[in-house]
Amino acid sequence: VSSVNVDLQTDATLQVDISDALSERDKVKFTVHTKSTLPNFKQNEFSVVRQHEEFIWLHDSFVENEEYAGYIIPPAPPRPDFDASREKLQKLGEGEGSMTKEEFTKMKQELEAEYLAIFKKTVAMHEVFLCRVAAHPVLRKDLNFHVFLEYNQDLSVRGKNKREKMEDFFKNVVKSADGVLVAGVKDVDDFFEHEKTFLLEYHNRVKDASAKSDRMIRSHKSAADDINRIASTLYTLGTQDSTDVCKFFLKVSELFEKTRKIEARVAADEDLKLADLLKYYLRESQAAKDLLYRRGRALVDYENANKALDRARAKNKDVLQAETSQQVCCQKFEKISESAKQELIDFKTRRVAAFRKNLVELAELELKHAKGNLQLLQSCLGVLKGDT
Amino acid sequence: MDPSLSASDIASSTKPLSEASSPPVMDLLSEPASEASSAPMVDLLMEPASEGSSAPMVDILSEPASEASSAPMVDLLMEPAREGSSAPMVDLLMEPASEASSAPMMNLLMEPASEASSAPMMNLLMEPASDDLKEPPKPDIDPLADILNDTPLSEVKTPVAAMPQETPSDLFDDEPSELFAEPRQSNTAKQQQTSIFDEPDEDLFSEPLGEASKNPQNDFFKEALAPVAKASNVCGPLSDNYNEHPTDIFTEEAMTTLPSAVSTVSVNSKTNGVHSDEEEPDIFAEATVELSLDSPRNDRKKKGAAKPSAPAPAPSVSASASKPQPKTLEELEEEVEDKFELNISITNPEKVGDGMNAYMAYKVSTQTTLPMFRSKTFTVRRRFSDFLGLYEKLSDKHTPNGYIVPPPPEKSIMGMTKVKVGKEDNSSAEFVERRRAALERYLQRVVFHPSLLQDPDVREFLERDDMPRAHNTQALSGAGFLKMINRATDSLSKMTIKMNESDVWFEEKLQEVEAEDQQLRKLHIMVDSLVGHRKELSVNTGGFAKSVAMLGSSEDNTALSRALSQLAEVEDKMEQLHQEQAASDSFCFAELLADYIRLLGSVRASFDQRMKTWQRWQDAQNMLQKKRETEAKLLWANKPDKLQQAKDDITEWEAKVTQYERDFDRVSATVRKEVLRFEKEKARDFKKQIIKYLESLLQSQQQLIKYWEAFLPEAKAIA
C-alpha cells in the first residue's frame, strides 16, 4: 500500500501497517495493525481503529516532547480531503437529467475511481507516518505511540478548539520570526551551516516542484477526461449515423475509451510516484528544518547563557545559577547537535533511496503506459486502414 | 363524370365542368366553354385512333381525366406556362424522384413544348409516360386530347372550324397565331408525314422557329444524340427505340408500348432537326438530362453539367452547346475520382498594408489538366474577403437549387485584429496558419464539387489576375450571422408546417443531420477543451521541468541531482510533445469538426430550401384554388366582363403551380443527391483526417517511449 517509500529499515520487532480503512461521512477510520515481539505489548499481534485526529495527537505529542528535540519528527499525515470529490459527485447528481445514461454512468464511475484514489492515498500517508515512527530508534519506544497502537478504545482525542488554534497560530508566528533570527546566526559547525543553507533552498524548491507537479497532473487528468468525453460523443455519433462512417466512429470511440484510461493511469501514476513523493519531502524537509531551528534556538540559548554567565562572573552575582543554566543549555545544545547530525544524514539517505525507487517506478510505468497506448493505436490504425 | 365528354368539351371550347372530381386537370379541361361544337373535336381525336382501334380512343380520353389527380399529370399540363430554360433541369430532377422509368421521356418531350409555349407537345409525351404501358393506342390519343385541352384554352377560342380537315395541326395553327403558319407550312411540305401525330409535333417544334434566331441546330442535335447513344446503356428503352424507329414512329407507336412513345419523342426531335433552333438546344439539354435518369450516379453527373445553365437563362445556349464537353469531363472525373486533375493549394499568407486596413493575402496555386482552364498551372493572389465573396456568389446561385455549397471559414475579428496589430506571437501565427488551411480545404471542397467547378465564378476566382474586389465584405460576417438566424427561424416556422409529402427519406435524413450537428458541436467543444487542456499541460509540464531542474541543482547527492536534471530534460521534451499534440488535436481534429459543423449548416440550408419551394408550391395551389372559386362565382353571377380576367388569373396560377411543383421536385432530387454526395465526402474526410490524427498520437507515444527509455538508466543510477 505504501506509496511513498521512505526506505525504512524494517525490523521484525515492531511492524505497523494499516490493514483496513473505512470512510464514514467526513471521517475515515483506519485499522492500525501491529506485529511486535517487544515485551511492552500484551500480545504479539493486534489491531485498533484510529482516526486522523489521533494521528495528529500522536504527532503533536512528539513535537512537544523536549526529549525529541534532536530528532526529525516524522511529518503528520495530511488531513483526508474528500470535499472536492464529494462536491463533484453531488454536482453529478444534480446534472443527472442533462446527460445520457451512458454519460452519467461513465462520469459516476470516474468520480468513484477518483474518490477511491484519494482514499487510498490518504491511507498510505497515514501508514507512512506510523512506519516512520516504528522504524525510528527512539520514537518507536515512545509510550504515547504504544498507547496509540495498543489501546483498543477511543483515545478521546478531540480536535483543537478555537483558543488552542489561536495559540498555535501565535506560536507559529513567534517561531517563524524567531526562526529568521536564529537562522541569521552563523553556525559554528560547518556541517550544520551547510545543512541549514541546503534545507532552506531545498525546501523552497521542493515546494515549488510539488505545486508544479500538481498542476501538471491536474491538466493531464483534464485532458484524459476530455478524451473520455470525446469517446462517448463519438460513440453517440457512431450509433446515430446510418452511413458507413458509423463503424469508423465506433472504432475510434473504442480506441479513445481505452487510451483515455491509459492517460488517466499515467496521470494517476505521476501523482503517486512524483507528486506524492515531492509532497512528502516537502513535509519531511520542513520537519528537518524544524529540527535545525530547535538546534539553532538551543545554540542561541546556549550562547546567551554563556553571556549571562560571563556577566554574572563579572558582577560576581548569581554565578552558580548562571552556571547551572549555562550547563543545561550546553547539554541541550550538544544533545540536539549530536542526534541531529545523524538524523540529517539519515534524512538524506532516505531521500535518495526514496527518489531512486519512485523515479525508477515512474519511468517504468510511463514506459508501460506509452507502450500500451502505442499498441492500441497501432492495432486500431491497422483496422481502420484495412477498412478504407 | 364522363372523361370523353370532358375531353371533347375542352377541345370544343370553354365550358366549366364543375363536377370534376380532380381539380387540377378537370378544371383545365372544364375551362373550354361549350359554345364550340364538340363534334369536330371528337373527330379529331378519333382520327389517330382509327389507325389503331377506335375503342382505345375512348379509353384514352377517359384516362387523362381519371388520372388527372395524379401529380405528374398536372405538371405536364402546366408546363407550357413555365418560362425559363431551367425547366429541363427541373424535369430531370423530379423524374427520378418520382417513379416511372418513362418519366424522363415525357420530360424531354414536355420541355420543348414549354419553350415553345405550346402545351400539346408535352402532353403528348407525358401521357404515355404516366399511363399504363398496356394501352397501345392511348399514347397517341392522349397527347392529342391534352393538346387540345391545353392549347386552345387561353388564346384560341375558335379552333373548331379548322379542325375537321387538317386534324390537330390546324388546332395548332390557330393558337400560336402567326408564328405558326409559316414554319408549319415548310414542315408539312418537307415532311409529308402520314400520321396526324407527326404534324402537331412538327408544329410544336417549328413554332419557336419564328422567335428564335436560326442556329446550326443540326449540329447541336447531333451532339445531343451522340451523348445519348453513348449513354445508351444507361437508359435502355430510349436508345433501343431510337435505333429501331427512325422515322415512322407514330404508326408503329400506336401499337407499341410506352417505350415507343418515348422513342417518338426522340424521333421527333430528330426530324425537327430540319426545323429550327430554339428548341433544339432544349431538346438537347433534355437528351443529356434524360440519359442520367436511370442511374443516380450518372444523373448526378449530368445534373452537374446542366446545372450552370439552369440558374442563369442567358448562358443557357452556350452552356448547352458546350455541354458535351463538360459532361465527358465529369464522367472522367467520376471514374477516376481519386485522380482528380485539379490540385489547389494555398500558400504564402502575407500581410498587406498596415494598421486596421491591413489584410492577409494568400497565394492560390492551381495545377490542372482540365481543358477548361487556360493553362496547366497558374497562381493568383486572393484576400480573405475574396473567398467570402466567392462563397456569396456561389451560394446565391446554387443554394436556391438545393445545392450544398461549402462554406468558407468565418471571419474572426479577434484573430484578424491581432494580426493587424502586428503581434508576431504564437497565437497570431497559429491563427494565420489555421485560416490558410481552412481556406485551402474550403476551396478544395468547392472545386471537388462537379457542379460548382463548372461555375464561371470559380474559374474566375482561380484564374483571373485582377479580381474585382468583393463587395460589402465588411458586412459579410454580420450578414452571414443574420442569415444564419433567419435560417434558423425559417426552419422553425417550416417545422411547424406539416409536410404531407410521402418521402420519409428527407424527414429521416434531416433528423439525422440535426442529431449529427448536435453531436458534432458537442464533440467540437470537447476537442477544443482537449486542445486547451493539452496546451495547459504543455505549459505546466514546462513549468515543472524548470522546477525539477532547480530542485536538481539544489540536491546535494550527485547522482540524484543528475537524475533530477535528466528528468527535467525529459519533461522539457514532453512539453514540446504536448505542444505538438495540441496542435494536432486542433488542426487534424477540431478543424475537421469545425468544417463539418459549417458544412452541416449548408446541408440544413439545402433542406430548408426544399421546404421553401414546397411551401411556395402549396401557396400557389391555394391561390389557384381561390382563383377558381372566384371564377365560379363570376360565372354564377354572370359577369362576363370580369370573367376573362379570372380566366387569365387561373392560367397564370396554374402555370405557377406547375412550375413550383417542378421546382420542388427538382430541388428535392438535388438535395437528395447532394446529401448522398456529402455523406460520401464526409466519410472519406473523416477517415482520412482521423487516421492522420491517430498517426500523430502514435508518433508522440513513440517519442515518449524513447524519452523514458533514455531516462530509466539514469534513475537506476541514483545511489
Side-chain angles (χ1 to χ4, degrees), chain A residues 89-323:
Chain A
L89 260 174
Q90 201 182 340
K91 264 187 196 159
L92 178 73
E94 285 161 6
E96 189 173 352
S98 64
M99 53 185 108
T100 66
K101 207 175 169 188
E102 290 89 30
E103 280 174 329
F104 180 77
T105 323
K106 222 172 176 185
M107 289 278 277
K108 206 178 150 202
Q109 280 170 357
E110 285 304 297
L111 285 178
E112 279 166 358
E114 193 183 310
Y115 187 89
L116 195 69
I118 298 175
F119 185 76
K120 276 184 180 169
K121 242 164 95 164
T122 308
V123 171
M125 296 284 201
H126 284 74
E127 192 181 61
V128 160
F129 171 71
L130 294 182
C131 291
R132 270 275 279 129
V133 176
H136 196 276
V138 177
L139 297 178
R140 69 193 306 211
K141 294 171 192 149
D142 181 78
L143 187 64
N144 281 337
F145 182 48
H146 290 182
V147 169
F148 178 92
L149 293 178
E150 201 178 28
Y151 185 63
N152 63 356
Q153 301 288 305
D154 193 341
L155 291 176
S156 317
V157 174
R158 52 175 177 84
K160 287 179 176 169
N161 62 27
K162 246 186 195 162
R163 196 179 54 86
E164 285 165 330
K165 274 184 189 164
M166 282 301 276
E167 275 173 4
D168 274 1
F169 175 73
F170 282 117
K171 241 194 248 170
N172 275 325
V173 171
V174 171
K175 194 182 112 185
S176 48
D178 196 38
V180 175
L181 263 178
V182 169
V185 177
K186 174 91 178 118
D187 207 302
V188 283
D189 190 321
D190 279 350
F191 173 81
F192 285 107
E193 184 60 25
H194 170 263
E195 281 301 308
K196 194 170 71 184
T197 3
F198 162 72
L199 273 174
L200 221 85
E201 191 182 74
Y202 187 83
H203 178 74
N204 286 335
R205 291 192 170 163
V206 85
K207 192 178 185 174
D208 184 57
S210 166
K212 295 275 165 65
S213 71
D214 274 351
R215 257 195 252 170
M216 175 177 79
I217 289 157
R218 214 182 306 130
S219 30
H220 209 138
K221 276 181 183 155
S222 309
D225 283 351
D226 290 333
I227 298 174
N228 187 20
R229 273 175 288 157
I230 288 168
S232 40
T233 312
L234 276 172
Y235 180 81
T236 320
L237 258 178
T239 48
Q240 78 184 12
D241 202 302
S242 68
T243 59
D244 67 332
V245 216
C246 70
K247 264 186 275 162
F248 183 82
F249 283 143
L250 289 180
K251 185 75 200 159
V252 178
S253 162
E254 190 191 318
L255 169 75
F256 283 173
E257 176 63 39
K258 285 177 187 158
T259 55
R260 73 96 194 163
K261 267 187 191 145
I262 292 184
E263 278 311 315
R265 285 300 303 277
V266 172
D269 287 338
E270 282 176 357
D271 197 12
L272 219 61
K273 298 297 168 196
L274 204 54
D276 283 357
L277 175 78
L278 293 169
K279 237 173 264 164
Y280 184 81
Y281 276 92
L282 170 62
R283 282 181 291 122
E284 182 92 36
S285 63
Q286 181 60 52
K289 265 175 74 189
D290 287 347
L291 168 64
L292 282 184
Y293 164 72
R294 287 193 296 269
R295 185 184 160 277
R297 181 74 254 165
L299 176 62
V300 172
D301 287 348
Y302 176 42
E303 279 171 355
N304 287 344
N306 273 340
K307 279 176 200 157
L309 181 61
D310 286 349
R311 273 199 301 272
R313 280 187 181 140
K315 289 179 187 170
N316 202 12
K317 196 182 162 194
D318 300 331
V319 176
L320 190 69
Q321 199 187 344
E323 268 176 358

Side-chain angles (χ1 to χ4, degrees), chain B residues 321-337:
Chain B
S322 64
K323 201 159 289 169
Q325 187 209 27
K327 191 173 57 171
T328 50
L329 275 177
E330 251 141 274
E331 269 159 13
L332 261 173
E333 176 212 309
E334 277 284 332
E335 282 156 22
V336 288
E337 211 169 71

